[in-house]
Amino acid sequence: MLEAPKQKTITTQAMEQIRQLIFDGELAAGSDHLESELADRLGMSRTPVREATLMLAQQGLLEVRPRKGVRIATLSLTDMEEIYAVLTELEALAAEEAAEKGYADDDLSALKQSIESMEDALKREDREAWALADDAFHAELVRLGGNSRVQSIVSMMANQVRRARAMTLYIRPLPVKSNEDHRAVYDAISKGDSERARNCHRSHRQHAREVLIELLKKHKLFQL
């Protein structure tokens, strides 16, 4: 006998409704809102709304300001374009250098596991689990490249990329193509094909940038 689906908590409902208001542009990027205002808008008490805003702050969608309410987060399109341009080249270099090292299958087990975790998350349509596995893939790819300076620069930019992805995670199509790209990069590295590894990963990052920028523009989740 199938179990009935669990009922969403009031806090979860509040989080989803506020997130949708942000994505729909009804809570504009850069705008300020009192906790009481949001509670009235949702027809809820302030406690679940407060808890929901703390969760959304962790996702990078807003900033909780003590005694001042919340401010809806903004991103600079120029910043994102510049960050992705640098990441694209550095991670493509890491993929190329990883392929040149002649790793055995065991050496690539963590990279392979991250891809399998992403695919499992997609089957369950668990976007947050997919995002965590995606983070693991990119971190492991850079580690396998073995270039400490690439690792340092990529690490410095990681939080900004996560924030942009968090803001678009629930309004983008399921990232099926992203998983296919990861498989292609893994396959090239495992076969020692450095040129293909570099080109596959560069193409992957360029596509990810295009999807991100388009969503930020469409939903006005950015500042000029």
Side-chain angles (χ1 to χ4, degrees):
M1 183 175 178
L2 294 175
E3 293 183 6
K6 293 182 179 178
Q7 188 173 7
K8 293 179 180 177
T9 66
I10 299 296
T11 297
T12 299
Q13 293 177 43
M15 181 185 68
E16 291 180 350
Q17 290 181 46
I18 295 171
R19 185 166 57 202
Q20 195 59 51
L21 289 171
I22 294 172
F23 292 158
D24 290 343
E26 294 190 38
L27 297 178
S31 62
D32 296 317
H33 304 273
L34 295 174
E35 193 177 276
S36 56
E37 170 202 340
L38 295 175
D40 289 344
R41 188 164 190 163
L42 300 182
M44 297 180 180
S45 67
R46 292 172 63 175
T47 298
V49 170
R50 182 183 305 116
E51 293 171 349
T53 58
L54 291 172
M55 294 166 70
L56 291 169
Q58 291 179 344
Q59 296 178 18
L61 288 173
L62 52 80
E63 174 191 357
V64 176
R65 308 168 75 211
R67 297 180 297 281
K68 293 183 180 180
V70 302
R71 173 166 290 173
I72 307 306
T74 60
L75 289 171
S76 162
L77 288 183
T78 300
D79 286 348
M80 285 297 101
E81 288 172 341
E82 290 178 353
I83 287 169
Y84 264 86
V86 173
L87 279 180
T88 295
E89 295 307 316
L90 291 182
E91 289 191 0
L93 174 62
E96 177 183 23
E97 292 181 338
E100 291 173 348
K101 293 185 182 299
Y103 285 121
D105 288 345
D106 285 349
D107 299 320
L108 301 177
S109 60
L111 195 67
K112 184 177 182 181
Q113 179 58 54
S114 67
I115 296 172
E116 291 173 351
S117 295
M118 279 185 277
E119 291 176 344
D120 179 63
L122 277 192
K123 290 176 185 175
R124 296 182 283 110
E125 295 193 12
D126 186 338
R127 292 172 184 253
E128 293 188 10
W130 175 85
L132 288 173
D134 182 62
D135 280 345
F137 175 87
H138 287 274
E140 180 64 7
L141 175 69
V142 172
R143 189 192 72 79
L144 289 168
N147 187 318
S148 62
R149 286 171 176 77
V150 169
Q151 292 177 47
S152 177
I153 297 170
V154 170
S155 176
M156 183 174 61
M157 298 178 172
N159 285 337
Q160 294 180 70
V161 173
R162 289 192 191 101
R163 180 182 171 214
R165 187 185 56 200
M167 292 178 73
T168 57
L169 189 59
Y170 287 89
I171 51 177
R172 64 172 291 175
L174 281 174
V176 175
K177 184 183 184 306
S178 183
N179 281 18
E180 293 171 353
D181 292 346
H182 291 143
R183 279 284 181 191
V185 173
Y186 171 83
D187 184 63
I189 292 173
S190 68
K191 292 178 179 176
D193 190 337
S194 58
E195 183 177 0
R196 181 165 161 253
R198 183 184 187 110
N199 291 338
C200 283
H201 196 74
R202 178 185 284 120
S203 177
H204 165 62
R205 270 305 195 186
Q206 287 172 338
H207 176 74
R209 170 195 167 278
E210 290 167 4
V211 170
L212 173 69
I213 297 299
E214 181 181 344
L215 288 170
L216 292 176
K217 287 180 177 178
K218 179 180 179 180
H219 295 275
K220 298 182 174 60
L221 299 170
F222 67 93
Q223 61 187 12
L224 295 175

